[in-house]
Amino acid sequence: MLRNLAIAGSAAVIGTLLMLPPQPGERLVRMYGSDLATADRVAIVVPGADTKAATFDSSTRHPGGAARALLAEAARLAPHQRLAVMAWLGYDSPPTLSLAALTDEAAVAGSRELRRTVADLRRRTTAPISLLCHSYGSYACALAAPGLPISDVAFIGSPGVGAAGAASPVRIWAGLGDNDWIKFVPKVKLGALGFGADPMKAPYGAHRFDAGTGGHSDYYTPGTASLRNLALIALGRHQEVTFEQDGS
């Protein structure tokens, strides 16, 4: 269960430090934006590889900065809608240049922790919950999503998400920046190596939204199509999301 330890920040954007049960590795979870008791919607930002507590809030490339950028964009798009955003480093994010980043061990463990986190949130709020999942974290989300009480899951810069889509009624989204190097990574899975199906391919069944021209770490950059669409997904304003020309 998540436990409230401290509060920092302003009245507009509150960062709440939460602790997961003691486990090895570097874990950090923070909540920003509206109080869970009054939130209309909840989004969980799930990061990929190379995410550490030391850089958690350093920029929009990292979960804390991404959460703040998402809130700012949501406030611009829907100033009267109350959004709570959790920046979730609830698993041991592997280094990008490592064998661990090519295998599913950390993601499998992370998926279990993510399911516990969502279950804890569901006890605190009835608001719809969205998972916004980047890179390696997208595989953890794909493993966690089936049967989870969430409304949406969005994969961005994904190396692969397993063999099948998340169970209905979860709405699945996928976005890939034009200059994201992950598109050159083979979407295959051999045992523990690799991550399987590409959510950008039609058979997976995702709604493929416009993620702009950015690179692998640019999805939450202010002013981008990717941030706008992620905010709209988090807000539940699905009819306003812009799609890839060949997808919907």
Side-chain angles (χ1 to χ4, degrees):
M1 180 179 294
L2 301 178
R3 182 163 57 89
N4 192 354
L5 293 181
I7 296 178
S10 67
V13 179
I14 299 175
T16 305
L17 181 63
L18 302 164
M19 178 172 283
L20 295 163
Q23 297 183 44
E26 205 171 357
R27 314 269 178 99
L28 182 60
V29 179
R30 283 186 176 143
M31 295 277 325
Y32 302 85
S34 295
D35 186 90
L36 280 173
T38 60
D40 297 315
R41 307 275 304 193
V42 178
I44 305 177
V45 173
V46 179
D50 273 335
T51 307
K52 301 297 179 187
T55 57
F56 189 90
D57 281 309
S58 61
S59 73
T60 59
R61 296 176 176 230
H62 301 287
R68 293 195 303 273
L70 188 74
L71 276 172
E73 183 68 3
R76 184 185 73 82
L77 295 168
H80 302 298
Q81 199 164 348
R82 295 167 298 190
L83 178 65
V85 181
M86 172 181 280
W88 187 86
L89 179 56
Y91 77 115
D92 298 327
S93 169
T96 297
L97 300 178
S98 69
L99 180 61
L102 301 176
T103 64
D104 63 6
E105 182 176 358
V108 170
S111 71
R112 293 193 289 265
E113 296 300 335
L114 185 56
R115 291 184 66 86
R116 292 188 186 103
T117 297
V118 171
D120 186 72
L121 283 176
R122 185 48 72 217
R123 286 190 287 269
R124 299 171 181 223
T125 179
T126 59
I129 298 172
S130 300
L131 304 182
L132 309 181
C133 313
H134 179 241
S135 193
Y136 186 90
S138 66
Y139 187 71
C141 285
L143 293 177
L148 211 58
I150 57 176
S151 62
D152 299 82
V153 56
F155 303 124
I156 47 177
S158 176
V161 287
S168 179
V170 175
R171 188 179 289 101
I172 310 168
W173 305 85
L176 183 68
D178 290 347
N179 292 302
D180 190 335
W181 56 261
I182 206 77
K183 62 187 172 184
F184 300 114
V185 174
K187 306 303 187 290
V188 296
K189 184 164 179 58
L190 299 171
L193 282 173
F195 304 100
D198 184 351
M200 294 298 294
K201 299 297 185 184
Y204 193 79
H207 300 284
R208 301 191 299 278
F209 64 89
D210 179 13
T213 61
H216 192 62
S217 300
D218 299 332
Y219 291 96
Y220 292 94
T221 301
T224 58
S226 55
L227 178 60
R228 179 183 181 276
N229 282 325
L230 287 168
L232 289 169
I233 291 167
L235 291 166
R237 299 168 73 103
H238 305 130
Q239 72 281 1
E240 298 175 44
V241 173
T242 56
F243 296 99
E244 280 200 332
Q245 291 184 352
D246 62 344
S248 61

